[in-house]
């Protein structure tokens, strides 16, 4: 009841004046009014049952009736009426109370009567409201029914619309399928037309309709390949392939016919040219005109084939067939002429291998370039991706064809190359191949891969021959060199050359010589010597006999000349190995020559050692410009483990069949593997080692020749100090240490120093010819002389009396220095150019090495950087300073 009341209240508030829940505009109100008017006369639907209407009386009328009745009853209450009418007489108090009670009841009824009447009215309105609610519920049920019916109609309408759209879509798909089927059937239906056109007698390869017909066949084949699920796809694809093969065969016949016609015409032109005594290699130019003329006729066909070669294998096979036929025709045409031209070149350059190589390679370059141009006019390059690091070859078939043409020259050159014995010829051939052919030609024509390959192959053969002949040359002319007496005539040759140089210098001072020093030097030096000297960055211009290349020992000169040739001809790894072998052989030859000079009774040991030092310095200086390591890694097998394992197996014969870890056979297999050892041979270090050993040996021999007896006495003194038990025992009491005996030793040693020091310095001047080098090498000799005498002086002061010292007569440091200064050989006076050249006759590396030897062989040490070219007086002052410093350390020398 409350819910329905709230609904009714809300319905009444829809059009409230103050705040309507659903306000309507004028147009909407007019529409509702028109609908209401139309509904007034509309009959009730037949399926809706009508209920009896309830008469609703307005509440205002009931209240009006009530007010009228109230006016009618506006008189006195009934109890008063009875009294007025005299019907009731109150005589007693009881009656009065009874009357009062009735009066109160009347008053109460009078007061409650409006409320009772209102309650009755409310009950009546309640019945009316209930009737209205029933009518509203009935209306709502009818509206719900209408809503359901509307939704049903709406759903059916939607389904109908969807069905219509589906039908339209199916219709569209059917139309598309129909069109697609027509297109698909077009491929199958066109076959008959295409075959009919191919069978037509009027169809030719050069006609405008031919290429579009081939393109249509190819298009239909691609369509059938893309749609293999069609029922007749396989059959028609085979039919189209047959048609395509027929069309391509027509192209093949036409193109090969054009090529054969051009080849036939070129053969006729060549025959006419040969009959007219043309040069064979000039007739090659006649072989290109006919082929260039047929290019426009077949080029468009080949372009179409190249464009479609990735679509079908038939196109690729046809292109390969045409190219092979073309190359075979060119090979049959060119090979006889190329052979004739090469034969003619062999005849012309029968004794000139370099000229033959240049002319043959130039001829091949011309042929390869012409063939490449002609091939590029007819065929396009291949654009297939190449592997990383692989040589890019866009025309492999052409490269193979050109390689066969180039092999004609290679087959004729190789027998000549393997017969060349001269290293100069092989070196020149290598230079031509590396600089001209592989350098200039191949850089100018990088696309000629066949030409580059044949050049590399010839270069490898020449280098192989060069390496072999170098090995033979090493064995025969370096290791096996038998020196003549003139080759070992040292120092006679140096003295003779020095005399000649001094005479020339005197002539120049007197104005008699008109030629420069360089010209006089070059008159003595041969061309071979000058070529060897050119490999060094410093040129020799000295007139000293030791500086002349012609005075070098022949194996040294040959070694340096061989290295200069090989350095320009071989790759660095090959050159390093071969150079190591050459240097090792040269060092052995120098050592052998030095031994022969030393063994000559007319010569001294110092001559052999200075000869070896001189040539080792030359070799060490001359190999510096070569940018090579001069080292070789040799690998060998060490079978020590195999021997040990075999002995273990032999000792454990009974354990061969043991099925455990101590099986002897298993141990032999595991432990008997030979070891791999690597040895690094460095020729530069070998030169340094031999130079160091030679210098040390020369120093020791020189010192021993002058201080032999004195050194023996000092050694005996040291032995005496070590073995004497009683400290009171005197050295002077020993028979071998008597003062008279010691006097003889000192006198003999002093005489040897005066006699041999000038000879040693003179020999160093002849052989080394460099004042600074001489001073560095002589310094340890001088230091050892001073050290030996200072040791003797210390012994004399400790073991002998003053009188005995006077008897012995040992010179002190100042006296000894004066003796050495007095007997020292004065430096040779040379011209300024000679002095400058002498200053560069030893490289900084050699001077540093000699300084190292000096530091290792002497007690006093001096930096080479402090040594300069000084006059004799300055050198004597420096010697005096060294003697003074040595005298200040007698105790240290004695202890040592």
């Amino acid at each position: 009841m409350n819910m329905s009341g709230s609904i009714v209240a809300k319905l009444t508030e829809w059009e409230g004046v103050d705040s309507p829940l659903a306000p309507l505009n004028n147009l909407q109100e007019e529409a509702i009014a028109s609908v209401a008017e139309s509904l007034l006369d509309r009959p009730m639907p037949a399926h809706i049952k009508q209920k009896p209407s309830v008469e609703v009386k307005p509440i205002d009328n009931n209240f009006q009736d009530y007010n009228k009745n109230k006016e009618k009853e506006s008189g006195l209450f009934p109890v008063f009426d009875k009294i007025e009418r005299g019907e009731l007489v109150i005589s007693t108090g009881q009656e009065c109370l009874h009357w009062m009670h009735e009066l109160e009841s009347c008053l109460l009824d009078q007061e409650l009567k409006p409320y009772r009447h209102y309650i009755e009215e409310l009950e009546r309105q309640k019945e009316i409201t209930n009737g209205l609610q029933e009518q509203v519920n009935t209306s709502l049920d009818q509206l719900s029914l209408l809503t359901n019916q509307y939704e049903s109609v709406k759903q059916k309408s939607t389904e109908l619309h969807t069905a219509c759209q589906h039908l339209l879509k199916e219709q569209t798909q059917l139309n598309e399928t129909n069109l697609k089927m027509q297109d698909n059937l077009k491929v199958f239906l066109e076959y008959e037309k295409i075959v009919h056109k191919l069978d037509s007698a009027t169809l030719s390869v050069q006609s405008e309709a031919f290429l579009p017909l081939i393109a249509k066949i190819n298009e239909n084949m691609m369509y059938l390949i893309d749609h293999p699920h069609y029922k007749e796809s396989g059959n028609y694809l085979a039919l189209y392939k047959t048609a395509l093969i027929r069309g391509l065969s027509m192209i093949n016949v036409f193109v090969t016919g054009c090529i054969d016609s051009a080849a036939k015409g070129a053969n006729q032109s060549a025959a006419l040219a040969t009959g007219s005594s043309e040069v064979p290699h000039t007739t090659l130019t006649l072989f290109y005109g006919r082929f260039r003329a047929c290019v426009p006729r077949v080029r468009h066909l080949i372009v179409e084939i190249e464009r479609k070669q990735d679509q079908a294998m038939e196109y690729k096979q046809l292109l390969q067939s045409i190219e092979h036929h073309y190359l075979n025709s060119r090979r049959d045409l060119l090979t006889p002429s190329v052979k004739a031209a090469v034969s003619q070149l062999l005849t012309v350059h029968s004794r000139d291998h370099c000229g033959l190589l240049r002319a043959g390679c130039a001829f091949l370059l011309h042929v390869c370039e012409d063939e490449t141009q002609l091939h590029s006019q007819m065929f396009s390059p291949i654009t297939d991706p190449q592997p990383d690091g692989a040589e890019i070859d866009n025309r492999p078939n052409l490269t193979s064809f050109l390689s066969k043409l180039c092999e004609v020259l290679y087959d004729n050159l190789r027998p000549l190359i393997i017969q060349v014995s001269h290293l100069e010829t092989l070196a020149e051939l290598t230079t031509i191949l590396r600089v001209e052919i592989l350098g200039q030609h191949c850089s100018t024509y990088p696309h000629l891969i066949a030409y580059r390959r044949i050049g590399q192959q010839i270069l490898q053969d020449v280098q192989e021959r060069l390496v072999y002949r170098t090995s033979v040359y090493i064995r025969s002319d370096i290791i096996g060199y038998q020196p003549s007496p003139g080759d070992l005539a040292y120092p006679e040759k140096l003295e003779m050359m020095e005399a000649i140089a001094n005479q020339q210098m005197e002539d120049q001072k007197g104005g008699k010589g008109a030629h420069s020093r360089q010209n006089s030097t070059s008159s003595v030096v041969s061309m071979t010597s000058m070529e060897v000297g050119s490999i060094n960055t410093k040129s020799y211009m000295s007139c000293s006999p030791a500086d002349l290349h012609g005075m070098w020992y022949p194996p040294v000169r040959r070694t340096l000349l061989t290295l200069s040739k090989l350095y320009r001809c071989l790759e660095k790894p090959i050159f390093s190995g071969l150079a190591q072998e050459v240097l090792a052989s040269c060092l052995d030859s120098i050592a052998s020559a030095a031994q022969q000079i030393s063994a000559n009774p007319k010569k001294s040991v110092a001559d052999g050692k200075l000869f070896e030092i001189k040539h080792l310095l030359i070799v060490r200086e001359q190999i510096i410009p070569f940018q090579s390591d001069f080292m070789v890694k040799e690998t060998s097998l060490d079978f020590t483990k195999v021997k040990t394992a075999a002995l273990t197996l032999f000792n454990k014969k009974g354990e061969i069949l043991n099925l455990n870890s101590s099986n002897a056979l298993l141990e032999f297999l595991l432990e008997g593997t030979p070891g791999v050892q690597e040895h690094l041979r460095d020729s530069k270090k070998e030169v340094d080692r031999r130079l160091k050993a030679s210098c040390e040996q020369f120093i020791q021999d020189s010192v021993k020749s002058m201080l032999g007896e004195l050194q023996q006495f000092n050694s005996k003194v040291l032995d005496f100090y070590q073995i004497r038990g009683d400290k009171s025992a005197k050295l002077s009491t020993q028979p071998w240490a008597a003062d008279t005996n010691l006097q003889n030793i000192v006198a003999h040693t002093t005489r040897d120093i005066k006699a041999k020091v000038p000879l040693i310095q003179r020999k160093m001047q002849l052989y080394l010819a460099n004042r600074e080098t001489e001073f560095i090498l002589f310094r340890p000799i001088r230091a050892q002389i001073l050290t030996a005498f200072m040791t003797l002086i210390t012994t004399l002061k400790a073991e002998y009396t003053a009188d005995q010292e006077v008897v012995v007569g040992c010179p002190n440091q100042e006296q000894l220095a004066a003796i050495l200064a007095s007997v020292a050989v004065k430096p040779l006076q040379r011209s300024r150019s000679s002095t400058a050249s002498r200053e560069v006759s030893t490289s900084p590396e050699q001077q540093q090495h000699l300084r190292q030897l000096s530091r290792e062989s002497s007690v006093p040490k001096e930096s080479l950087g402090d040594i300069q070219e000084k006059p004799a007086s300055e050198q004597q002052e420096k010697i005096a300073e060294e003697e003074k410093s040595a005298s200040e350390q007698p105790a240290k020398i004695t202890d040592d």
Side-chain angles (χ1 to χ4, degrees), residues 413-685:
L413 276 179
R414 179 173 171 77
L416 300 178
I417 291 173
I418 62 178
Q419 294 177 3
V420 177
S421 300
H422 299 287
L423 294 180
E424 291 80 3
T425 304
L426 293 172
E428 188 174 357
L429 290 174
T430 306
T431 303
I432 293 172
L433 287 167
R434 297 186 66 179
V435 177
E436 298 181 12
I437 297 174
L438 296 179
Q440 298 176 0
H441 295 174
C442 293
S443 61
T444 306
Y445 304 97
H447 54 280
L448 300 181
I449 298 176
Y451 181 78
R452 180 169 66 253
R453 289 176 181 173
I454 204 68
Q456 292 174 349
Q457 192 171 356
I458 297 174
L459 176 62
Q460 291 173 0
D461 293 340
V462 175
Q463 288 179 340
E464 183 179 359
R465 180 65 179 176
L466 178 61
V467 171
Y468 170 72
R469 290 304 306 172
T470 302
S471 301
V472 175
Y473 184 77
I474 292 171
R475 293 193 300 269
S476 60
D477 290 24
I478 296 179
I479 297 178
Y481 178 75
Q482 299 297 330
S484 63
D487 295 331
L488 302 178
Y490 286 87
E492 292 84 357
K493 292 172 63 175
L494 299 177
E495 293 172 351
M496 181 184 63
M497 295 304 300
E498 186 180 41
I500 294 173
N502 292 334
Q503 182 65 32
Q504 290 178 353
M505 186 170 59
E506 291 177 0
D507 295 343
Q508 288 180 358
K509 288 181 179 180
K512 298 179 181 180
H515 298 286
S516 64
R517 183 179 306 277
Q518 184 175 358
N519 293 335
S520 63
T521 303
S522 61
S523 64
V524 180
V525 182
S526 64
M527 293 303 294
T528 303
S529 303
M530 294 302 293
E531 185 173 1
V532 174
S534 65
I535 65 177
N536 193 2
T537 55
K538 299 178 181 179
S539 61
Y540 282 82
M541 297 178 60
S542 172
C543 64
S544 171
D547 292 339
L548 297 179
H549 304 151
M551 301 302 298
W552 293 354
Y553 185 55
V556 174
R557 187 168 62 250
R558 294 172 182 178
T559 297
L560 297 176
L561 179 61
T562 302
L563 291 178
S564 66
K565 296 293 184 182
L566 298 179
Y567 186 71
R568 297 189 300 266
C569 300
L570 301 178
E571 286 75 13
K572 188 174 181 180
I574 303 175
F575 173 77
S576 298
L578 199 57
Q580 192 276 334
E581 183 180 355
V582 174
L583 281 179
S585 303
C586 179
L587 296 180
D588 294 339
S589 180
I590 293 173
S592 176
Q595 291 177 0
Q596 294 182 33
I597 293 174
S598 300
N600 192 341
K602 298 180 180 181
K603 312 289 178 65
S604 63
V605 178
D607 289 324
K609 289 301 175 184
L610 287 174
F611 170 85
E612 187 173 6
I613 292 172
K614 162 188 167 60
H615 287 91
L616 288 176
L617 288 173
I618 292 172
V619 171
R620 190 175 186 275
E621 180 181 4
Q622 294 295 330
I623 64 176
I624 291 176
F626 296 108
Q627 301 296 327
S628 178
D629 296 333
F630 290 93
M631 61 176 58
V632 176
K633 182 183 292 185
E634 296 181 349
T635 304
S636 61
L637 295 177
D638 184 12
F639 292 93
T640 306
K641 294 183 179 180
V642 179
K643 180 180 178 181
T644 305
L647 292 175
T648 305
L649 178 64
F650 182 77
N651 295 330
K652 296 182 179 180
K653 295 180 179 179
E655 300 179 1
I656 293 179
L657 300 178
N658 290 349
L659 300 178
N660 51 25
S661 59
S662 62
N663 186 285
L665 182 59
L666 181 61
E667 292 180 359
F668 173 77
L669 294 176
L670 295 177
E671 299 178 1
T673 304
V676 179
Q677 295 181 348
E678 292 184 353
H679 306 277
L680 191 63
R681 299 180 60 184
D682 192 344
S683 296
K684 286 186 177 180
K685 292 183 179 180

Side-chain angles (χ1 to χ4, degrees), residues 81 84-85 126 201 241 254 263 289 320 378 467 556 593 702 721 735:
D81 291 341
E84 289 179 356
R85 286 191 307 267
K126 179 180 178 183
K241 282 185 178 181
F254 176 77
Q320 293 177 354
M378 187 168 292
V467 171
V556 174
S702 300
Y721 286 157

